[in-house]
Amino acid sequence: LLNQALKDLKEMKQVQENLLEVHLNGLLQTNDKIALKEITRQLQLENVVGDKVFGSFAENLAFLLEALKKGDRASSCPVLFVLDEFDLFVHHKNQTLLYNLFDVSQSAQTPVTVVGLTCRQDILELLEKRVKSRFSHRQIYLLNSFDFRQYLKIFKEQLSLPDKFPDNSFAQRWNNNIQSLAEDKVVQDVLRNLFHHTKDLRSLHLLLMLAVCRVTVQHPLVTPAHLQEASKHSRADSKANIVHGLSVLEICLIIAMKHLNDVYEGEPFNFQMVYNEFQKFTQRKAHCMNNFEKPVVMKAFEHLLQLELVKPIERPSVRAQKEYLLMRLLLDNNQIMDALQLYPNCPTDVKQWAASSLSWL
């Protein structure tokens, strides 16, 4: 959409003459210093900057924009900043780049427009207050409306080699293979699962990249097995993977929270409630668990907080007692049970406790 809009814009003669574009990508410009160097390079102002030393980022940016002003200083080149992977710029220190770009775009002196591209819908929540206040709050949401047949067509287009590929015979062989992959039932099942999970093409690109990475000189073509393997890898549950690395005590605390969720139908709980639940279990099954002191259990609970498997409902105040802060568990029952099946050397009693009904309470 942006490329088409820019193409239309450039066809307007008055714009064509003096519009300057700066394209930045959050994956490449990982901090403000690199971003500023790239802005200088794309605006072709390296000679103007020379060996000048600037006190701040804002000063440096203001100098660059000042250098673009033409002749009578009343008119200057309009600059369009396009920030791809916009959500990654949010993680730059103090969001200085975003603050200054938005600030300049709002001032009447320099004609600057900033366009951010991101797949995160919660992006405004990530902006600092001072940055958010300078943002125009104009957002365009783009949702993919294609059906599965078109999705298959996109799959073929993304993997097919172009006509100008140097090795003609290999390109023919490769493209024939891609055609047969698109007709394969196993491949269609993998793609249909992904399609129903998300229509986002970034997810498709990730799947295809993982599959293509398996291609070697000995096995130069993508197979249905490659796509199946890539699907398992890309759809792996990161939270369930974290559970595999927990101690048995931490697993027990998660199971205690699971039972509390079942009893109180998803209402928030606090550490004291979890501790009481855990104690009931250890008193019944004392032979399978050591008798942990309360501070040790509290430390394990805090570790779950750090791993973001548990989340406080409100930001804790200085005076609040840790034991009574209300929390929510960020794992559902299926994730817990699936993770326990794969947990190495999990005591049988613990597995049974996780699977047990509420009758024993």
Side-chain angles (χ1 to χ4, degrees):
L1 177 63
L2 181 71
N3 289 341
Q4 185 60 46
L6 287 175
K7 189 174 170 227
D8 294 347
L9 199 62
K10 284 171 189 169
E11 284 168 7
M12 297 162 63
K13 202 171 181 188
Q14 66 272 30
V15 175
Q16 197 176 12
E17 289 171 3
N18 65 352
L19 172 68
L20 293 169
E21 291 176 39
V22 176
H23 292 263
L24 302 177
N25 189 306
L27 292 167
L28 301 174
Q29 283 75 49
T30 50
N31 63 43
D32 288 350
K33 196 175 174 185
I34 298 170
L36 204 53
K37 269 189 177 177
E38 184 60 18
I39 292 169
T40 309
R41 187 188 71 78
Q42 289 191 32
L43 294 177
Q44 298 177 358
L45 293 172
E46 293 100 330
N47 294 341
V48 181
V49 173
D51 296 325
K52 281 189 172 61
V53 178
F54 298 97
S56 68
F57 182 92
E59 197 182 309
N60 196 338
L61 186 64
F63 177 82
L64 289 178
L65 295 170
E66 186 71 31
L68 296 173
K69 293 194 173 178
K70 297 196 299 187
D72 58 358
R73 295 178 66 83
S75 61
S76 60
C77 290
V79 187
L80 172 69
F81 286 90
V82 177
L83 308 184
D84 205 351
E85 306 287 350
F86 182 78
D87 47 297
L88 298 179
F89 287 98
V90 166
H91 301 300
H92 289 197
K93 193 180 177 188
N94 299 334
Q95 298 183 2
T96 310
L97 173 71
L98 297 182
Y99 173 77
N100 283 288
L101 284 179
F102 287 170
D103 198 43
V104 169
S105 68
Q106 287 210 336
S107 72
Q109 296 173 330
T110 317
V112 166
T113 299
V114 183
V115 178
L117 306 172
T118 178
C119 61
R120 287 193 65 160
Q121 292 195 8
D122 62 344
I123 189 66
L124 286 189
E125 306 305 316
L126 304 176
L127 295 177
E128 286 181 10
K129 202 180 257 182
R130 64 187 190 131
V131 179
K132 200 188 284 190
S133 67
R134 282 162 175 76
F135 173 54
S136 67
H137 290 267
R138 273 180 285 179
Q139 292 172 279
I140 300 172
Y141 291 102
L142 300 170
L143 300 171
N144 295 324
S145 59
F146 43 73
D147 58 18
F148 184 66
R149 201 175 69 240
Q150 289 165 303
Y151 192 71
L152 266 179
K153 192 180 170 195
I154 293 166
F155 162 78
K156 287 191 284 188
E157 283 170 359
Q158 295 296 313
L159 279 182
S160 296
L161 291 172
D163 295 336
K164 55 187 177 189
F165 190 76
D167 188 337
N168 229 336
S169 62
F170 178 76
Q172 187 67 43
R173 191 175 154 213
W174 175 274
N175 290 345
N176 289 342
N177 179 59
I178 299 306
Q179 182 61 42
S180 62
L181 277 180
E183 293 161 8
D184 188 284
K185 190 180 179 306
V186 172
V187 174
Q188 286 192 3
D189 286 346
V190 167
L191 292 175
R192 194 173 274 110
N193 281 340
L194 185 61
F195 176 76
H196 290 314
H197 178 67
T198 173
K199 287 185 177 182
D200 177 19
L201 290 181
R202 289 159 61 110
S203 303
L204 178 65
H205 291 156
L206 176 63
L207 178 82
L208 300 185
M209 184 190 75
L210 291 170
V212 169
C213 284
R214 305 294 298 275
V215 169
T216 60
V217 176
Q218 290 77 23
H219 304 95
L221 299 176
V222 178
T223 66
H226 289 159
L227 282 157
Q228 264 187 322
E229 194 64 38
S231 175
K232 278 182 197 167
H233 191 75
S234 63
R235 296 284 295 277
D237 188 335
S238 57
K239 279 201 162 63
N241 287 342
I242 291 173
V243 174
H244 300 158
L246 298 179
S247 67
V248 175
L249 169 59
E250 288 162 346
I251 291 277
C252 285
L253 294 183
I254 283 176
I255 295 168
M257 292 179 234
K258 170 186 175 290
H259 283 306
L260 286 171
N261 267 348
D262 293 342
V263 174
Y264 298 109
E265 298 180 344
E267 287 297 306
F269 50 80
N270 59 37
F271 168 74
Q272 192 59 48
M273 291 162 73
V274 175
Y275 182 67
N276 292 344
E277 199 68 27
F278 172 65
Q279 277 201 310
K280 284 182 199 173
F281 169 67
T282 52
Q283 282 159 11
R284 281 166 51 86
K285 303 282 184 184
H287 60 279
C288 88
M289 287 296 292
N290 297 327
N291 191 13
F292 291 102
E293 296 292 324
K294 192 173 180 179
V296 176
V297 180
M298 174 58 113
K299 195 154 188 172
F301 189 78
E302 285 172 350
H303 185 229
L304 296 177
L305 264 170
Q306 288 169 357
L307 293 172
E308 295 184 1
L309 296 176
V310 187
K311 186 182 177 186
I313 287 181
E314 294 174 353
R315 185 171 289 185
S317 65
V318 180
R319 292 180 188 173
Q321 284 183 281
K322 286 181 186 176
E323 291 95 320
Y324 302 104
L325 279 174
L326 288 175
M327 307 274 178
R328 282 197 193 282
L329 180 63
L330 300 182
L331 291 163
D332 62 35
N333 286 2
N334 290 337
Q335 284 176 308
I336 295 168
M337 298 312 294
D338 290 349
L340 277 177
Q341 293 306 315
L342 300 169
Y343 187 84
N345 307 322
C346 184
T348 308
D349 285 338
V350 173
K351 276 189 183 177
Q352 286 172 348
W353 180 38
S356 68
S357 65
L358 307 175
S359 56
W360 71 278
L361 290 169

